[in-house]
Amino acid sequence: MTTTPATVTPDQPEPEGETTMRIVVAGGGIGGLALGAGLRRSGHQVAVHDRDTDIANTGGYHITLDGRALDALEHLVPRHTLRRLLASGSALRLREPDAYRDRRGRLLGRGPDLTGNPSVDVDRVTLRVLLADAVGPDLHLGRHVTGVDHDPDGNPGLLFADGATESADLVVGADGAHSTIARRLAGGPTNHPTGITGFSGRTLRADLTPAGQRRLGPRSEMSIGPRGAALYLGFLDPVGNAALDAPELRAATTTGPTYIWGAMFPDTPATTALRALRGADLRDALLDRYRHHGWAEHTLEVIARADPDSVAAFRFNAAPTRAADLAPWPPGRVTALGDAVHATPPTAGMGAGAAIRDAADLVTHLNRDTPLLEAIAAFEAGMRLRGAEALTAAMRVIRLIQATTTPLGAAATHLATPLLATATRLRR
């Protein structure tokens, strides 16, 4: 898939400051593309480089954008792009409240009413393509960044695998959890494995049995069992639950009600063996693993009927949850954002939104008539707080899962979940 330049619309704001800069961005994920779009819209010279050769060739399945992330996008992309995003996104306010279940499928509780929730779920592929369109010709694919250096005049720049270099006034690392740029700045890794591995896939609601469709309904679910086994189901319907009723603008790769599920297991030799599998073999091995942990068969239907080509594995990495430990370097003409700084497990649905907010905040500070290093210092201070908030929320779920892996935690899970299920039935 090729990208085309975004159409410049009359609502695009002018830069707040007088001076435009040359900025190069390493990484064309969500944060890097959002930054590139915002810088281009503000009139800066920008180049976003990513090693992918196809912008739609991306991992992940869906992303939750809360109201703060959507507000940030309003400042980064043209109005038409934001409208296409909303027309391609599934509104949480149109969903039923989330459900919490045990491994037997017994209801333990429900989440809050979503009626006034402004959040939107969107396919990762859809979001990345729309942001790439907004970046337009300033996006350069097939460019593998290998490092950062300075030219004879002291300007920072990127080094590429083919030996090329590119200097700028500012270099930004948006190259993900294994960031080359952030590692150089921090003098080492900025995050570490959490001890949990995730396995994700997609299942069309229409492929479930009638009983499965009724049981799951138009909602998301979270189930946690003993020994660290957990299963998340995210409901995505950008057609029936579109955040903006504008079919002519729809660009979603998901065209019907779909469950985007995530299986989670602690890192063990058995989990490592699963990561070596692909497709139907991985799907079937996941089912066997859940059965070994005593999960009821009807709770596994969503995995059993998944598209085997959609099933994939990925490790959960996380940065420190303390703001003071994030971006542990002095402000300079090389900085980083998003997962490069605050790699966040997907367990709270806040990582991508935090990266987008990082991008909007950096653009805002660069557009102000302040010295560059002051702008970077102010941006990094805000990023530390955003990252710590997202990480704290995500790690609560990770720690809950990890607590069930101990003998005491496993026993408590066995004993407590039937009691919670009974209490829930009595309250209904």
Side-chain angles (χ1 to χ4, degrees):
M1 183 180 297
T2 58
T3 60
T4 56
T7 302
V8 179
T9 56
D11 70 304
Q12 292 187 345
E14 294 296 323
E16 296 175 25
E18 295 292 330
T19 304
T20 60
M21 290 183 291
R22 171 69 178 170
I23 300 161
V24 293
V25 182
I30 302 304
L33 292 173
L35 177 62
L39 291 171
R40 182 171 188 253
R41 194 178 188 213
S42 296
H44 295 286
Q45 298 179 56
V46 61
V48 179
H49 299 280
D50 194 85
R51 66 190 301 173
D52 286 348
T53 56
D54 181 352
I55 204 65
N57 181 21
T58 182
Y61 292 90
H62 86 294
I63 285 173
T64 299
L65 301 177
D66 64 15
R68 296 172 299 178
L70 293 170
D71 288 344
L73 280 173
E74 190 172 359
H75 295 285
L76 293 169
V77 301
R79 183 170 180 268
H80 180 69
T81 301
L82 184 58
R83 284 174 55 81
R84 289 185 69 197
L85 169 62
L86 295 175
S88 308
S90 180
L92 267 67
R93 68 178 185 273
L94 300 177
R95 271 186 2 204
E96 294 181 11
D98 295 349
Y100 301 97
R101 300 184 185 274
D102 69 0
R103 63 192 173 126
R104 303 293 187 186
R106 294 172 294 202
L107 183 67
L108 304 179
R110 294 199 184 278
D113 182 10
L114 298 173
T115 302
N117 193 311
S119 300
V120 172
D121 284 344
V122 63
D123 279 297
R124 183 180 179 87
V125 172
T126 300
L127 178 58
R128 198 179 184 204
V129 168
L130 290 175
L131 290 175
D133 285 345
V135 179
D138 295 325
L139 172 62
H140 306 278
L141 299 176
R143 301 283 283 160
H144 181 192
V145 174
T146 58
V148 61
D149 206 346
H150 291 77
D151 67 17
D153 295 324
N155 298 308
L158 295 178
L159 306 176
F160 297 91
D162 61 4
T165 61
E166 184 172 356
S167 298
D169 298 306
L170 176 67
V171 168
V172 182
D175 44 346
H178 304 290
S179 170
T180 298
I181 308 303
R183 178 184 283 265
R184 162 75 180 271
L185 287 168
T190 57
N191 57 79
H192 298 279
T194 63
I196 299 290
T197 294
F199 303 86
S200 59
R202 302 172 63 99
T203 307
L204 297 178
R205 191 178 183 206
D207 287 343
L208 298 176
T209 62
Q213 294 182 36
R214 287 193 301 271
R215 187 180 72 86
L216 295 181
R219 69 174 70 87
S220 294
E221 293 195 353
M222 182 70 179
S223 302
I224 296 178
R227 299 298 179 185
L231 178 62
Y232 170 74
L233 308 181
F235 181 73
L236 185 67
D237 184 6
V239 177
N241 283 7
L244 175 66
D245 186 15
E248 71 280 5
L249 298 177
R250 188 176 298 139
T253 56
T254 298
T255 57
T258 303
Y259 294 100
I260 314 295
W261 52 265
M264 289 163 273
F265 292 102
D267 287 341
T268 63
T271 302
T272 301
L274 289 178
R275 292 178 59 199
L277 302 177
R278 296 290 183 273
D281 290 339
L282 176 55
R283 181 194 61 191
D284 295 344
L286 287 171
L287 291 170
D288 290 341
R289 184 78 177 272
Y290 276 113
R291 289 167 182 147
H292 177 73
H293 285 288
W295 287 59
E297 200 64 32
H298 69 276
T299 67
L300 305 178
E301 182 187 357
V302 72
I303 299 177
R305 293 177 178 263
D307 172 9
D309 292 334
S310 73
V311 184
F314 53 98
R315 297 185 77 179
F316 288 177
N317 278 41
T321 56
R322 285 199 330 144
D325 295 328
L326 300 174
W329 53 74
R333 293 172 62 189
V334 180
T335 188
L337 56 72
D339 273 352
V341 176
H342 47 79
T344 307
T347 45
M350 295 178 65
I356 289 170
R357 292 166 60 206
D358 286 349
D361 195 44
L362 180 54
V363 172
T364 296
H365 284 293
L366 293 178
N367 285 346
R368 290 175 179 162
D369 190 15
T370 57
L372 178 57
L373 292 191
E374 289 185 18
I376 297 302
F379 154 69
E380 290 180 347
M383 176 174 58
R384 292 184 184 101
L385 296 177
R386 280 186 297 276
E389 178 195 18
L391 280 157
T392 298
M395 289 305 294
R396 285 195 194 103
V397 181
I398 294 293
R399 290 180 181 124
L400 176 61
I401 295 172
Q402 290 172 332
T404 70
T405 64
T406 66
L408 179 60
T413 306
H414 276 296
L415 294 172
T417 50
L419 296 176
L420 286 172
T422 300
T424 300
R425 286 197 305 271
L426 293 175
R427 286 196 299 268
R428 294 173 65 184

